[in-house]
Amino acid sequence: MADSTLDLVGTHQGQFVLSEQIASGPYSRSFLARRGDTDEFSVFKVAKSQSECARTSENIFQTESRVVMEGGTAVVHPNCSKLLKAQYHRLKHSSMPPFVKTFDNMEISGSSAYSMEFLGRKSVRQEESVPTKLLAKLARELHEFSVEYPELYHGDIKPENMILHGEGEAAAIHLIDPGFYGELMCEEGLDFNIAVTTPIYYPFMRPDDLLAFGIVLWELACGQHPLDPALLEGPIDNIGETLKQWTKQYENVGQYFLSPITHLRLPGKTNPAIGAGLEAFLLQAIRLQVDADGLLQCGPGFESFEEFADVLEQLADQNVLSL
């Protein structure tokens, strides 16, 4: 595949013409395509060439590829085409809401590609506010998905991968761009324990969608990510010793994604509109709790998306969680 996206814009793929690039990630590009002179649109996602594949990034919200080892993690560089094929098959096997519908897989200019439905351009990251009822609907659909496919996961839930689509009762949040966990060919060689995800949402480097969803809710309500490294510049605020020691255990094996949590401020302190009930919910969403001494400690968290949905449905008429 040539390095310039202009080489693909204007090209034909079957009955579709690629009209513009609408997104570029670390390993692929997405193009809006139109079928002839009709109003039928689709999205074609094309793997980048290895020379274009992302090396490093200071963007904490960008998907990364890491090999998970006993002594921590290390950045690796996956074969972009093989990764895109794995993503296509994951979506094809996840053929129910809230996952985006995929159509065909193919090769374009020597790189793996696939087509999927065009949901629009509005991600949760771009919205000023997100109705709680849509988050409740998403949680309910994720619960139904987990019941139907208990062995499957999304693996990279974050605001950028949550697309708002439809209006009125048909409005919903759809998920695109799943993560990957397992065996993958990389430039460094074949490895059996690769995680392709966003560490700031998946700090344990495993497909823990429940925690990622809880982190998104915290971010929407508080306006700050609970694991943002910028928190380390602030004071330690009422953090319990047990939580400190738990975080230290991960630091001792080279995993520092959880470190900012020791500088976390309670939701009510970052947003005065958050009352005690919502604060307790948000803490439980990221598996924390306040003990009898008012100190932040590890907590049990939610065990299913059904539990998330039940609480969010109760909050739907009371709150709007906003970025």
Side-chain angles (χ1 to χ4, degrees):
M1 176 179 168
D3 287 350
S4 174
T5 60
L6 295 176
D7 292 333
L8 290 180
V9 171
T11 61
H12 289 255
Q13 301 300 328
Q15 299 180 24
F16 286 87
V17 177
L18 275 58
S19 58
E20 64 173 303
Q21 178 182 300
I22 58 174
S24 179
Y27 311 116
S28 63
R29 290 188 174 89
S30 295
F31 297 86
L32 182 64
R34 183 173 184 173
R35 184 193 289 272
D37 295 327
T38 71
D39 290 329
E40 182 180 347
F41 292 90
S42 186
V43 173
F44 283 72
K45 190 169 184 179
V46 185
K48 289 183 174 180
S49 64
Q50 288 306 117
S51 63
E52 297 176 286
C53 179
R55 301 289 120 179
T56 58
S57 174
E58 295 182 359
N59 180 3
I60 61 173
F61 301 112
Q62 180 168 294
T63 299
E64 296 180 358
S65 297
R66 289 178 173 266
V67 58
V68 182
M69 306 170 289
E70 185 175 342
T73 68
V75 173
V76 292
H77 306 98
N79 181 299
C80 296
S81 279
K82 291 185 182 298
L83 177 59
L84 201 72
K85 282 183 179 179
Q87 187 179 80
Y88 169 77
H89 289 297
R90 168 56 50 80
L91 286 169
K92 204 66 177 175
H93 284 91
S94 307
S95 55
M96 64 181 292
F99 289 76
V100 62
K101 292 179 183 177
T102 54
F103 304 126
D104 302 312
N105 66 329
M106 66 211 72
E107 277 198 3
I108 296 178
S109 298
S111 291
S112 294
Y114 65 83
S115 58
M116 59 185 175
E117 66 178 325
F118 176 55
L119 297 169
R121 304 170 188 258
K122 291 184 178 181
S123 72
V124 167
R125 176 72 68 195
Q126 297 165 311
E127 291 296 290
E128 292 185 2
S129 63
V130 180
T132 311
K133 66 179 181 180
L134 292 187
L135 297 165
K137 184 177 182 179
L138 174 60
R140 187 66 65 189
E141 289 177 341
L142 283 168
H143 167 66
E144 293 169 357
F145 171 80
S146 68
V147 171
E148 184 72 19
Y149 302 105
E151 75 285 2
L152 297 183
Y153 53 83
H154 182 275
D156 202 13
I157 294 175
K158 58 181 178 179
E160 289 83 354
N161 290 342
M162 301 163 69
I163 306 299
L164 295 155
H165 180 67
E167 298 180 355
E169 292 301 315
I173 297 173
H174 299 260
L175 298 179
I176 63 171
D177 296 355
F180 177 86
Y181 301 79
E183 179 183 315
L184 188 65
M185 177 60 71
C186 300
E187 291 179 9
E188 293 80 3
L190 180 67
D191 201 284
F192 297 91
N193 200 12
I194 299 293
V196 183
T197 189
T198 308
I200 202 170
Y201 293 93
Y202 291 80
F204 300 108
M205 293 288 103
R206 58 176 183 260
D208 191 344
D209 287 342
L210 283 170
L211 179 59
F213 185 74
I215 289 173
V216 170
L217 295 180
W218 181 289
E219 190 178 5
L220 291 172
C222 300
Q224 185 172 38
H225 196 290
L227 299 180
D228 187 341
L231 291 171
L232 293 170
E233 300 175 4
I236 295 179
D237 187 17
N238 296 323
I239 302 298
E241 190 61 32
T242 302
L243 180 57
K244 291 180 186 177
Q245 293 303 318
W246 176 76
T247 307
K248 191 69 175 177
Q249 290 177 5
Y250 285 92
E251 293 176 346
N252 288 340
V253 294
Q255 295 193 35
Y256 295 92
F257 302 121
L258 290 164
S259 299
I261 212 167
T262 58
H263 295 251
L264 196 63
R265 298 185 68 203
L266 292 176
K269 292 184 178 180
T270 60
N271 183 353
I274 295 176
L278 181 56
E279 179 172 275
F281 164 69
L282 292 169
L283 286 169
Q284 186 177 357
I286 62 170
R287 299 173 190 164
L288 297 176
Q289 62 184 356
V290 175
D291 65 17
D293 296 322
L295 300 177
L296 201 58
Q297 303 282 12
C298 297
F302 287 94
E303 296 184 358
S304 70
F305 278 107
E306 183 176 37
E307 292 183 5
F308 267 120
D310 288 343
V311 177
L312 286 167
E313 286 167 359
Q314 294 175 13
L315 293 172
D317 295 329
Q318 307 170 31
N319 300 287
V320 173
L321 305 181
S322 60
L323 283 169

PDB file of all heavy atoms in Angstrom, residues 113-143:
ATOM      1  N   ALA A 113      -8.320  -5.344   4.330  1.00  0.00           N
ATOM      2  CA  ALA A 113      -9.345  -4.320   4.480  1.00  0.00           C
ATOM      3  C   ALA A 113     -10.687  -5.003   4.726  1.00  0.00           C
ATOM      4  O   ALA A 113     -10.844  -6.204   4.472  1.00  0.00           O
ATOM      5  CB  ALA A 113      -9.421  -3.450   3.226  1.00  0.00           C
ATOM      6  N   TYR A 114     -11.628  -4.251   5.255  1.00  0.00           N
ATOM      7  CA  TYR A 114     -13.001  -4.742   5.352  1.00  0.00           C
ATOM      8  C   TYR A 114     -13.959  -3.561   5.300  1.00  0.00           C
ATOM      9  O   TYR A 114     -13.570  -2.406   5.526  1.00  0.00           O
ATOM     10  CB  TYR A 114     -13.218  -5.584   6.614  1.00  0.00           C
ATOM     11  CG  TYR A 114     -13.089  -4.884   7.949  1.00  0.00           C
ATOM     12  CD1 TYR A 114     -14.150  -4.159   8.500  1.00  0.00           C
ATOM     13  CD2 TYR A 114     -11.924  -4.990   8.710  1.00  0.00           C
ATOM     14  CE1 TYR A 114     -14.049  -3.547   9.740  1.00  0.00           C
ATOM     15  CE2 TYR A 114     -11.802  -4.388   9.953  1.00  0.00           C
ATOM     16  CZ  TYR A 114     -12.871  -3.671  10.461  1.00  0.00           C
ATOM     17  OH  TYR A 114     -12.769  -3.071  11.691  1.00  0.00           O
ATOM     18  N   SER A 115     -15.207  -3.866   4.959  1.00  0.00           N
ATOM     19  CA  SER A 115     -16.236  -2.828   4.885  1.00  0.00           C
ATOM     20  C   SER A 115     -17.220  -3.014   6.027  1.00  0.00           C
ATOM     21  O   SER A 115     -17.451  -4.128   6.502  1.00  0.00           O
ATOM     22  CB  SER A 115     -16.972  -2.884   3.538  1.00  0.00           C
ATOM     23  OG  SER A 115     -17.572  -4.150   3.334  1.00  0.00           O
ATOM     24  N   MET A 116     -17.788  -1.896   6.485  1.00  0.00           N
ATOM     25  CA  MET A 116     -18.750  -1.913   7.584  1.00  0.00           C
ATOM     26  C   MET A 116     -19.742  -0.781   7.389  1.00  0.00           C
ATOM     27  O   MET A 116     -19.554   0.113   6.552  1.00  0.00           O
ATOM     28  CB  MET A 116     -18.031  -1.773   8.931  1.00  0.00           C
ATOM     29  CG  MET A 116     -17.208  -0.509   9.096  1.00  0.00           C
ATOM     30  SD  MET A 116     -16.290  -0.499  10.666  1.00  0.00           S
ATOM     31  CE  MET A 116     -15.326   0.986  10.493  1.00  0.00           C
ATOM     32  N   GLU A 117     -20.809  -0.826   8.178  1.00  0.00           N
ATOM     33  CA  GLU A 117     -21.845   0.197   8.049  1.00  0.00           C
ATOM     34  C   GLU A 117     -21.313   1.561   8.484  1.00  0.00           C
ATOM     35  O   GLU A 117     -20.451   1.656   9.365  1.00  0.00           O
ATOM     36  CB  GLU A 117     -23.079  -0.172   8.865  1.00  0.00           C
ATOM     37  CG  GLU A 117     -22.883  -0.199  10.371  1.00  0.00           C
ATOM     38  CD  GLU A 117     -24.149  -0.532  11.139  1.00  0.00           C
ATOM     39  OE1 GLU A 117     -25.239  -0.114  10.693  1.00  0.00           O
ATOM     40  OE2 GLU A 117     -24.048  -1.213  12.181  1.00  0.00           O
ATOM     41  N   PHE A 118     -21.840   2.595   7.837  1.00  0.00           N
ATOM     42  CA  PHE A 118     -21.482   3.965   8.197  1.00  0.00           C
ATOM     43  C   PHE A 118     -22.477   4.466   9.227  1.00  0.00           C
ATOM     44  O   PHE A 118     -23.668   4.579   8.965  1.00  0.00           O
ATOM     45  CB  PHE A 118     -21.501   4.853   6.957  1.00  0.00           C
ATOM     46  CG  PHE A 118     -21.244   6.314   7.243  1.00  0.00           C
ATOM     47  CD1 PHE A 118     -20.109   6.715   7.931  1.00  0.00           C
ATOM     48  CD2 PHE A 118     -22.153   7.279   6.814  1.00  0.00           C
ATOM     49  CE1 PHE A 118     -19.873   8.055   8.200  1.00  0.00           C
ATOM     50  CE2 PHE A 118     -21.921   8.623   7.079  1.00  0.00           C
ATOM     51  CZ  PHE A 118     -20.770   9.020   7.770  1.00  0.00           C
ATOM     52  N   LEU A 119     -21.979   4.758  10.425  1.00  0.00           N
ATOM     53  CA  LEU A 119     -22.833   5.167  11.538  1.00  0.00           C
ATOM     54  C   LEU A 119     -22.854   6.674  11.740  1.00  0.00           C
ATOM     55  O   LEU A 119     -23.598   7.170  12.582  1.00  0.00           O
ATOM     56  CB  LEU A 119     -22.366   4.495  12.834  1.00  0.00           C
ATOM     57  CG  LEU A 119     -22.443   2.965  12.861  1.00  0.00           C
ATOM     58  CD1 LEU A 119     -21.717   2.421  14.075  1.00  0.00           C
ATOM     59  CD2 LEU A 119     -23.901   2.512  12.864  1.00  0.00           C
ATOM     60  N   GLY A 120     -22.062   7.394  11.000  1.00  0.00           N
ATOM     61  CA  GLY A 120     -21.938   8.825  11.216  1.00  0.00           C
ATOM     62  C   GLY A 120     -20.573   9.149  11.786  1.00  0.00           C
ATOM     63  O   GLY A 120     -19.699   8.297  11.900  1.00  0.00           O
ATOM     64  N   ARG A 121     -20.403  10.398  12.176  1.00  0.00           N
ATOM     65  CA  ARG A 121     -19.074  10.869  12.606  1.00  0.00           C
ATOM     66  C   ARG A 121     -19.032  11.287  14.078  1.00  0.00           C
ATOM     67  O   ARG A 121     -18.034  11.839  14.533  1.00  0.00           O
ATOM     68  CB  ARG A 121     -18.656  12.056  11.740  1.00  0.00           C
ATOM     69  CG  ARG A 121     -18.650  11.759  10.242  1.00  0.00           C
ATOM     70  CD  ARG A 121     -18.475  13.043   9.445  1.00  0.00           C
ATOM     71  NE  ARG A 121     -18.654  12.862   8.010  1.00  0.00           N
ATOM     72  CZ  ARG A 121     -17.670  12.789   7.119  1.00  0.00           C
ATOM     73  NH1 ARG A 121     -16.420  12.889   7.516  1.00  0.00           N
ATOM     74  NH2 ARG A 121     -17.919  12.636   5.837  1.00  0.00           N
ATOM     75  N   LYS A 122     -20.113  11.058  14.821  1.00  0.00           N
ATOM     76  CA  LYS A 122     -20.161  11.534  16.202  1.00  0.00           C
ATOM     77  C   LYS A 122     -19.770  10.436  17.180  1.00  0.00           C
ATOM     78  O   LYS A 122     -20.498   9.466  17.383  1.00  0.00           O
ATOM     79  CB  LYS A 122     -21.572  12.033  16.537  1.00  0.00           C
ATOM     80  CG  LYS A 122     -21.982  13.305  15.827  1.00  0.00           C
ATOM     81  CD  LYS A 122     -23.355  13.768  16.305  1.00  0.00           C
ATOM     82  CE  LYS A 122     -23.776  15.068  15.649  1.00  0.00           C
ATOM     83  NZ  LYS A 122     -25.099  15.528  16.119  1.00  0.00           N
ATOM     84  N   SER A 123     -18.612  10.596  17.786  1.00  0.00           N
ATOM     85  CA  SER A 123     -18.227   9.689  18.859  1.00  0.00           C
ATOM     86  C   SER A 123     -18.570  10.338  20.197  1.00  0.00           C
ATOM     87  O   SER A 123     -18.778  11.547  20.294  1.00  0.00           O
ATOM     88  CB  SER A 123     -16.729   9.388  18.798  1.00  0.00           C
ATOM     89  OG  SER A 123     -15.980  10.519  19.208  1.00  0.00           O
ATOM     90  N   VAL A 124     -18.617   9.524  21.224  1.00  0.00           N
ATOM     91  CA  VAL A 124     -18.886  10.039  22.567  1.00  0.00           C
ATOM     92  C   VAL A 124     -17.828  11.065  22.965  1.00  0.00           C
ATOM     93  O   VAL A 124     -18.117  12.039  23.661  1.00  0.00           O
ATOM     94  CB  VAL A 124     -18.953   8.872  23.572  1.00  0.00           C
ATOM     95  CG1 VAL A 124     -18.901   9.378  25.017  1.00  0.00           C
ATOM     96  CG2 VAL A 124     -20.221   8.055  23.346  1.00  0.00           C
ATOM     97  N   ARG A 125     -16.603  10.887  22.501  1.00  0.00           N
ATOM     98  CA  ARG A 125     -15.534  11.847  22.818  1.00  0.00           C
ATOM     99  C   ARG A 125     -15.861  13.238  22.301  1.00  0.00           C
ATOM    100  O   ARG A 125     -15.483  14.243  22.899  1.00  0.00           O
ATOM    101  CB  ARG A 125     -14.211  11.359  22.219  1.00  0.00           C
ATOM    102  CG  ARG A 125     -13.037  12.301  22.374  1.00  0.00           C
ATOM    103  CD  ARG A 125     -12.530  12.357  23.802  1.00  0.00           C
ATOM    104  NE  ARG A 125     -11.924  11.096  24.177  1.00  0.00           N
ATOM    105  CZ  ARG A 125     -11.661  10.756  25.437  1.00  0.00           C
ATOM    106  NH1 ARG A 125     -11.983  11.567  26.433  1.00  0.00           N
ATOM    107  NH2 ARG A 125     -11.107   9.591  25.725  1.00  0.00           N
ATOM    108  N   GLN A 126     -16.567  13.319  21.188  1.00  0.00           N
ATOM    109  CA  GLN A 126     -16.845  14.604  20.547  1.00  0.00           C
ATOM    110  C   GLN A 126     -18.092  15.293  21.091  1.00  0.00           C
ATOM    111  O   GLN A 126     -18.320  16.465  20.779  1.00  0.00           O
ATOM    112  CB  GLN A 126     -17.002  14.389  19.036  1.00  0.00           C
ATOM    113  CG  GLN A 126     -15.741  13.881  18.355  1.00  0.00           C
ATOM    114  CD  GLN A 126     -16.012  13.345  16.965  1.00  0.00           C
ATOM    115  OE1 GLN A 126     -16.918  12.551  16.750  1.00  0.00           O
ATOM    116  NE2 GLN A 126     -15.232  13.800  16.001  1.00  0.00           N
ATOM    117  N   GLU A 127     -18.878  14.604  21.890  1.00  0.00           N
ATOM    118  CA  GLU A 127     -20.133  15.176  22.378  1.00  0.00           C
ATOM    119  C   GLU A 127     -19.941  15.932  23.687  1.00  0.00           C
ATOM    120  O   GLU A 127     -19.145  15.530  24.540  1.00  0.00           O
ATOM    121  CB  GLU A 127     -21.176  14.070  22.574  1.00  0.00           C
ATOM    122  CG  GLU A 127     -21.662  13.440  21.278  1.00  0.00           C
ATOM    123  CD  GLU A 127     -22.390  14.452  20.419  1.00  0.00           C
ATOM    124  OE1 GLU A 127     -23.500  14.871  20.779  1.00  0.00           O
ATOM    125  OE2 GLU A 127     -21.835  14.830  19.364  1.00  0.00           O
ATOM    126  N   GLU A 128     -20.677  17.016  23.848  1.00  0.00           N
ATOM    127  CA  GLU A 128     -20.605  17.773  25.098  1.00  0.00           C
ATOM    128  C   GLU A 128     -21.324  17.041  26.227  1.00  0.00           C
ATOM    129  O   GLU A 128     -20.963  17.178  27.393  1.00  0.00           O
ATOM    130  CB  GLU A 128     -21.227  19.165  24.899  1.00  0.00           C
ATOM    131  CG  GLU A 128     -20.417  20.067  23.973  1.00  0.00           C
ATOM    132  CD  GLU A 128     -21.004  21.457  23.897  1.00  0.00           C
ATOM    133  OE1 GLU A 128     -22.012  21.715  24.592  1.00  0.00           O
ATOM    134  OE2 GLU A 128     -20.464  22.290  23.153  1.00  0.00           O
ATOM    135  N   SER A 129     -22.369  16.286  25.893  1.00  0.00           N
ATOM    136  CA  SER A 129     -23.081  15.511  26.906  1.00  0.00           C
ATOM    137  C   SER A 129     -23.652  14.251  26.275  1.00  0.00           C
ATOM    138  O   SER A 129     -23.918  14.216  25.068  1.00  0.00           O
ATOM    139  CB  SER A 129     -24.207  16.343  27.543  1.00  0.00           C
ATOM    140  OG  SER A 129     -25.185  16.687  26.567  1.00  0.00           O
ATOM    141  N   VAL A 130     -23.827  13.239  27.075  1.00  0.00           N
ATOM    142  CA  VAL A 130     -24.372  11.962  26.624  1.00  0.00           C
ATOM    143  C   VAL A 130     -25.515  11.583  27.545  1.00  0.00           C
ATOM    144  O   VAL A 130     -25.315  11.428  28.753  1.00  0.00           O
ATOM    145  CB  VAL A 130     -23.291  10.857  26.647  1.00  0.00           C
ATOM    146  CG1 VAL A 130     -23.884   9.532  26.165  1.00  0.00           C
ATOM    147  CG2 VAL A 130     -22.098  11.258  25.793  1.00  0.00           C
ATOM    148  N   PRO A 131     -26.737  11.447  27.022  1.00  0.00           N
ATOM    149  CA  PRO A 131     -27.878  11.077  27.881  1.00  0.00           C
ATOM    150  C   PRO A 131     -27.634   9.750  28.597  1.00  0.00           C
ATOM    151  O   PRO A 131     -27.178   8.775  27.996  1.00  0.00           O
ATOM    152  CB  PRO A 131     -29.037  10.961  26.883  1.00  0.00           C
ATOM    153  CG  PRO A 131     -28.649  11.825  25.736  1.00  0.00           C
ATOM    154  CD  PRO A 131     -27.149  11.675  25.622  1.00  0.00           C
ATOM    155  N   THR A 132     -27.945   9.739  29.877  1.00  0.00           N
ATOM    156  CA  THR A 132     -27.742   8.530  30.662  1.00  0.00           C
ATOM    157  C   THR A 132     -28.541   7.361  30.109  1.00  0.00           C
ATOM    158  O   THR A 132     -28.111   6.207  30.199  1.00  0.00           O
ATOM    159  CB  THR A 132     -28.134   8.790  32.135  1.00  0.00           C
ATOM    160  OG1 THR A 132     -27.506   9.991  32.577  1.00  0.00           O
ATOM    161  CG2 THR A 132     -27.704   7.646  33.020  1.00  0.00           C
ATOM    162  N   LYS A 133     -29.695   7.635  29.518  1.00  0.00           N
ATOM    163  CA  LYS A 133     -30.518   6.538  28.979  1.00  0.00           C
ATOM    164  C   LYS A 133     -29.795   5.799  27.856  1.00  0.00           C
ATOM    165  O   LYS A 133     -29.999   4.590  27.676  1.00  0.00           O
ATOM    166  CB  LYS A 133     -31.866   7.060  28.494  1.00  0.00           C
ATOM    167  CG  LYS A 133     -31.821   7.997  27.304  1.00  0.00           C
ATOM    168  CD  LYS A 133     -33.226   8.422  26.892  1.00  0.00           C
ATOM    169  CE  LYS A 133     -33.202   9.339  25.669  1.00  0.00           C
ATOM    170  NZ  LYS A 133     -34.579   9.748  25.266  1.00  0.00           N
ATOM    171  N   LEU A 134     -28.942   6.503  27.092  1.00  0.00           N
ATOM    172  CA  LEU A 134     -28.181   5.830  26.045  1.00  0.00           C
ATOM    173  C   LEU A 134     -27.084   4.955  26.639  1.00  0.00           C
ATOM    174  O   LEU A 134     -26.784   3.874  26.119  1.00  0.00           O
ATOM    175  CB  LEU A 134     -27.578   6.845  25.077  1.00  0.00           C
ATOM    176  CG  LEU A 134     -28.548   7.631  24.189  1.00  0.00           C
ATOM    177  CD1 LEU A 134     -27.780   8.476  23.173  1.00  0.00           C
ATOM    178  CD2 LEU A 134     -29.505   6.691  23.461  1.00  0.00           C
ATOM    179  N   LEU A 135     -26.480   5.411  27.729  1.00  0.00           N
ATOM    180  CA  LEU A 135     -25.480   4.602  28.407  1.00  0.00           C
ATOM    181  C   LEU A 135     -26.124   3.374  29.036  1.00  0.00           C
ATOM    182  O   LEU A 135     -25.546   2.279  29.032  1.00  0.00           O
ATOM    183  CB  LEU A 135     -24.761   5.435  29.466  1.00  0.00           C
ATOM    184  CG  LEU A 135     -23.960   6.619  28.915  1.00  0.00           C
ATOM    185  CD1 LEU A 135     -23.594   7.576  30.031  1.00  0.00           C
ATOM    186  CD2 LEU A 135     -22.705   6.136  28.201  1.00  0.00           C
ATOM    187  N   ALA A 136     -27.341   3.557  29.565  1.00  0.00           N
ATOM    188  CA  ALA A 136     -28.083   2.424  30.119  1.00  0.00           C
ATOM    189  C   ALA A 136     -28.429   1.420  29.029  1.00  0.00           C
ATOM    190  O   ALA A 136     -28.321   0.201  29.220  1.00  0.00           O
ATOM    191  CB  ALA A 136     -29.362   2.914  30.802  1.00  0.00           C
ATOM    192  N   LYS A 137     -28.844   1.912  27.868  1.00  0.00           N
ATOM    193  CA  LYS A 137     -29.169   1.040  26.738  1.00  0.00           C
ATOM    194  C   LYS A 137     -27.942   0.269  26.283  1.00  0.00           C
ATOM    195  O   LYS A 137     -28.008  -0.932  25.986  1.00  0.00           O
ATOM    196  CB  LYS A 137     -29.738   1.876  25.586  1.00  0.00           C
ATOM    197  CG  LYS A 137     -30.197   1.078  24.386  1.00  0.00           C
ATOM    198  CD  LYS A 137     -30.825   1.994  23.333  1.00  0.00           C
ATOM    199  CE  LYS A 137     -31.333   1.221  22.134  1.00  0.00           C
ATOM    200  NZ  LYS A 137     -31.971   2.137  21.126  1.00  0.00           N
ATOM    201  N   LEU A 138     -26.794   0.954  26.233  1.00  0.00           N
ATOM    202  CA  LEU A 138     -25.550   0.295  25.856  1.00  0.00           C
ATOM    203  C   LEU A 138     -25.196  -0.809  26.849  1.00  0.00           C
ATOM    204  O   LEU A 138     -24.816  -1.919  26.453  1.00  0.00           O
ATOM    205  CB  LEU A 138     -24.419   1.314  25.769  1.00  0.00           C
ATOM    206  CG  LEU A 138     -23.011   0.762  25.523  1.00  0.00           C
ATOM    207  CD1 LEU A 138     -22.946  -0.005  24.206  1.00  0.00           C
ATOM    208  CD2 LEU A 138     -21.983   1.887  25.544  1.00  0.00           C
ATOM    209  N   ALA A 139     -25.314  -0.518  28.134  1.00  0.00           N
ATOM    210  CA  ALA A 139     -25.005  -1.517  29.157  1.00  0.00           C
ATOM    211  C   ALA A 139     -25.936  -2.720  29.034  1.00  0.00           C
ATOM    212  O   ALA A 139     -25.511  -3.873  29.168  1.00  0.00           O
ATOM    213  CB  ALA A 139     -25.110  -0.901  30.550  1.00  0.00           C
ATOM    214  N   ARG A 140     -27.219  -2.472  28.753  1.00  0.00           N
ATOM    215  CA  ARG A 140     -28.180  -3.566  28.592  1.00  0.00           C
ATOM    216  C   ARG A 140     -27.817  -4.422  27.377  1.00  0.00           C
ATOM    217  O   ARG A 140     -27.873  -5.651  27.436  1.00  0.00           O
ATOM    218  CB  ARG A 140     -29.590  -2.993  28.440  1.00  0.00           C
ATOM    219  CG  ARG A 140     -30.709  -4.030  28.440  1.00  0.00           C
ATOM    220  CD  ARG A 140     -30.836  -4.733  29.765  1.00  0.00           C
ATOM    221  NE  ARG A 140     -31.230  -3.827  30.838  1.00  0.00           N
ATOM    222  CZ  ARG A 140     -31.235  -4.170  32.130  1.00  0.00           C
ATOM    223  NH1 ARG A 140     -30.851  -5.389  32.493  1.00  0.00           N
ATOM    224  NH2 ARG A 140     -31.588  -3.296  33.057  1.00  0.00           N
ATOM    225  N   GLU A 141     -27.422  -3.791  26.279  1.00  0.00           N
ATOM    226  CA  GLU A 141     -27.039  -4.543  25.085  1.00  0.00           C
ATOM    227  C   GLU A 141     -25.754  -5.338  25.320  1.00  0.00           C
ATOM    228  O   GLU A 141     -25.616  -6.471  24.832  1.00  0.00           O
ATOM    229  CB  GLU A 141     -26.867  -3.595  23.900  1.00  0.00           C
ATOM    230  CG  GLU A 141     -28.187  -3.020  23.397  1.00  0.00           C
ATOM    231  CD  GLU A 141     -28.014  -2.021  22.272  1.00  0.00           C
ATOM    232  OE1 GLU A 141     -26.894  -1.496  22.102  1.00  0.00           O
ATOM    233  OE2 GLU A 141     -28.998  -1.765  21.563  1.00  0.00           O
ATOM    234  N   LEU A 142     -24.807  -4.753  26.061  1.00  0.00           N
ATOM    235  CA  LEU A 142     -23.574  -5.473  26.375  1.00  0.00           C
ATOM    236  C   LEU A 142     -23.857  -6.675  27.276  1.00  0.00           C
ATOM    237  O   LEU A 142     -23.199  -7.718  27.156  1.00  0.00           O
ATOM    238  CB  LEU A 142     -22.565  -4.538  27.029  1.00  0.00           C
ATOM    239  CG  LEU A 142     -21.844  -3.578  26.074  1.00  0.00           C
ATOM    240  CD1 LEU A 142     -21.094  -2.499  26.845  1.00  0.00           C
ATOM    241  CD2 LEU A 142     -20.884  -4.350  25.165  1.00  0.00           C
ATOM    242  N   HIS A 143     -24.841  -6.530  28.154  1.00  0.00           N
ATOM    243  CA  HIS A 143     -25.241  -7.680  28.981  1.00  0.00           C
ATOM    244  C   HIS A 143     -25.819  -8.787  28.107  1.00  0.00           C
ATOM    245  O   HIS A 143     -25.441  -9.969  28.246  1.00  0.00           O
ATOM    246  CB  HIS A 143     -26.268  -7.255  30.031  1.00  0.00           C
ATOM    247  CG  HIS A 143     -26.936  -8.429  30.700  1.00  0.00           C
ATOM    248  ND1 HIS A 143     -26.249  -9.304  31.516  1.00  0.00           N
ATOM    249  CD2 HIS A 143     -28.222  -8.884  30.639  1.00  0.00           C
ATOM    250  CE1 HIS A 143     -27.087 -10.249  31.942  1.00  0.00           C
ATOM    251  NE2 HIS A 143     -28.265 -10.014  31.430  1.00  0.00           N
TER     252      HIS A 143
END
